[in-house]
Amino acid sequence: MLKLIAIAAAAILPVAVFAQSPVVIKFSHVVATDTPKGKGAEAFKKCGEERAKGRVQIEVYPNSTLYKDGEELSALQLGAVQMLAPSLAKFGPLGVKEFEVFDLPYIFDSYEDLHKVTDGPIGASLMKKLESKGILGLAYWDNGFKDMSANKALRMPEDVRGLKMRIQSSKVLDTQMRALGGVPQVMAFSEVYQALQTGVVDGTENPPSNLYTQKMHEVQKYLTLSNHGYVGYAVITNRNFWMGLPPELRATLEACMQEATKVANDNAKKDNEDAIEAVRKSGRTQIITLTPQEKAAWKKALVKVHQQSEDRIPRELMLSIYKETGFKPD
Ligand code: LMR
């Protein structure tokens, strides 16, 4: 008899617990709130808490305040944090190196090109690769095209020669900086400003929205509008956590994820354009716009990175993206 009561209690308790205390979702990321990703995370929080009517509490931790690069993915796998939105350049250390295809220089010419991949079967198949790591991909969020910065004017690719350049933890980006004669240094995003200020590194690459919101322009004399590569994100969650949610709550959060994705992506292009203007207005950094000849020289110096990355990125994956975007590596 007692056992039956215990079984009945065990069945009722979780629902009662869910009914009583809200599900807490910690959403950690490494950038400022005033960025496409920061705005997306805030939009998800607002929508989720409103729609779930007190059944969920979404805590957003921007600027590496909870976990920084190199920590956040294992924290997610352990269930210490429930959501992240790492750059697509940061999945190599997890063993899903195919995401580094997004780091190949000039592979995307526009957001339209990019969305053919992120909104299509290629993007979906890449997300699927995360499941064997206990991770579920929820959405792709945009940021933008990268520019090079340094305390030396970078007009031609060879101007990077000998410079220590901060990169994200991607082998393709390591190959990219070496192709320019630079010395790549992997570093957590939260450490870049200080490393530039103290000269531990000479320069870096990032979309303008990251450069400006992290005040990197204050410690970089030049910004070259090279648009040589792309930074975007995969919004991810712990699979067991997400699949363990009551189905209707999960459906509500998935609808909010779609809306938050629209907020992040609708802001991406403008946030980066506004950041360039803000850097220009600050007068702290000289902005270099490349001539067509200079741009051609950068492209020529960097397209060989595609072939040099074939040991890491399956050729058929590259070809499938070339087919979508019309990219020609020659
Ligand atoms: C970087 O580390 O440079 C970026 O990935 C940061 C970010 O999340 O945009």
Side-chain angles (χ1 to χ4, degrees):
M1 183 60 188
L2 267 182
K3 198 160 167 240
L4 275 178
I5 294 170
I7 292 168
I12 296 167
L13 200 59
V15 177
V17 169
F18 264 122
Q20 281 155 4
S21 52
V23 175
V24 176
I25 295 181
K26 290 188 167 74
F27 190 157
S28 171
H29 68 80
V30 301
V31 296
T33 302
D34 188 19
T35 58
K37 173 160 60 177
K39 291 172 184 171
E42 295 302 325
F44 178 72
K45 172 183 168 64
K46 187 167 181 301
C47 174
E49 290 185 344
E50 273 170 18
R51 298 264 178 86
K53 299 188 173 55
R55 300 190 59 206
V56 71
Q57 188 182 314
I58 302 172
E59 301 168 356
V60 178
Y61 297 89
N63 274 318
S64 308
T65 44
L66 186 61
Y67 293 105
K68 65 179 191 174
D69 287 332
E71 301 169 343
E72 53 179 18
L73 284 166
S74 44
L76 186 81
Q77 289 177 305
L78 291 170
V81 65
Q82 287 67 45
M83 290 178 70
L84 305 172
S87 159
L88 301 165
K90 295 177 180 168
F91 286 94
L94 187 71
V96 191
K97 51 188 173 39
E98 292 86 348
F99 274 99
E100 291 181 14
V101 73
F102 287 95
D103 295 332
L104 291 170
Y106 300 105
I107 194 167
F108 304 111
D109 239 5
S110 65
Y111 286 100
E112 291 68 36
D113 273 358
L114 169 78
H115 293 155
K116 290 174 189 162
V117 173
T118 53
D119 299 347
I122 300 172
S125 70
L126 284 169
M127 284 292 205
K128 266 238 153 305
K129 294 183 188 297
L130 296 171
E131 294 187 18
S132 64
K133 311 292 176 185
I135 293 174
L136 212 53
L138 298 174
Y140 286 98
W141 284 359
D142 298 348
N143 187 341
F145 296 90
K146 292 181 288 186
D147 297 321
M148 292 273 186
S149 65
N151 287 322
K152 171 189 172 189
L154 306 178
R155 274 199 169 278
M156 292 296 279
E158 53 270 24
D159 293 332
V160 179
R161 189 162 300 145
L163 296 186
K164 291 171 287 180
M165 299 296 280
R166 182 268 172 174
I167 57 166
Q168 303 168 82
S169 54
S170 158
K171 287 278 184 298
V172 168
L173 297 178
D174 183 287
T175 306
Q176 172 201 279
M177 286 302 180
R178 289 180 197 283
L180 298 170
V183 183
Q185 298 213 5
V186 173
M187 193 177 283
F189 187 64
S190 54
E191 293 160 8
V192 178
Y193 177 89
Q194 201 176 358
L196 291 168
Q197 188 183 40
T198 56
V200 170
V201 288
D202 302 307
T204 186
E205 57 167 7
N206 237 299
S209 64
N210 276 350
L211 180 119
Y212 181 68
T213 53
Q214 297 294 318
K215 301 190 182 325
M216 293 183 203
H217 62 293
E218 295 178 355
V219 285
Q220 296 275 261
K221 292 198 181 81
Y222 299 92
L223 175 66
T224 299
L225 303 182
S226 48
N227 283 351
H228 63 277
Y230 171 75
V231 166
Y233 311 112
V235 185
I236 57 176
T237 184
N238 175 297
R239 189 191 52 202
N240 293 343
F241 166 77
W242 198 257
M243 299 320 288
L245 290 170
E248 82 287 347
L249 180 57
R250 191 166 62 237
T252 301
L253 294 174
E254 279 164 2
C256 285
M257 181 46 65
Q258 281 185 9
E259 292 177 30
T261 300
K262 194 167 177 339
V263 170
N265 294 358
D266 287 355
N267 278 285
K269 190 163 181 291
K270 187 166 180 319
D271 281 2
N272 284 295
E273 287 163 357
D274 291 352
I276 292 173
E277 285 324 304
V279 170
R280 205 188 297 280
K281 260 206 209 101
S282 78
R284 308 286 292 265
T285 312
Q286 188 185 328
I287 294 184
I288 298 173
T289 303
L290 297 174
T291 63
Q293 293 76 18
E294 289 165 342
K295 192 154 193 148
W298 282 85
K299 208 164 190 175
K300 187 158 177 279
L302 287 177
V303 284
K304 62 177 176 259
V305 174
H306 290 235
Q307 203 224 335
Q308 290 172 348
S309 302
E310 284 179 7
D311 60 336
R312 198 153 176 82
I313 314 283
R315 181 140 177 78
E316 59 277 7
L317 173 57
M318 285 191 207
L319 293 174
S320 66
I321 294 185
Y322 296 168
K323 202 156 154 250
E324 290 284 359
T325 67
F327 175 87
K328 294 201 170 33
D330 41 39

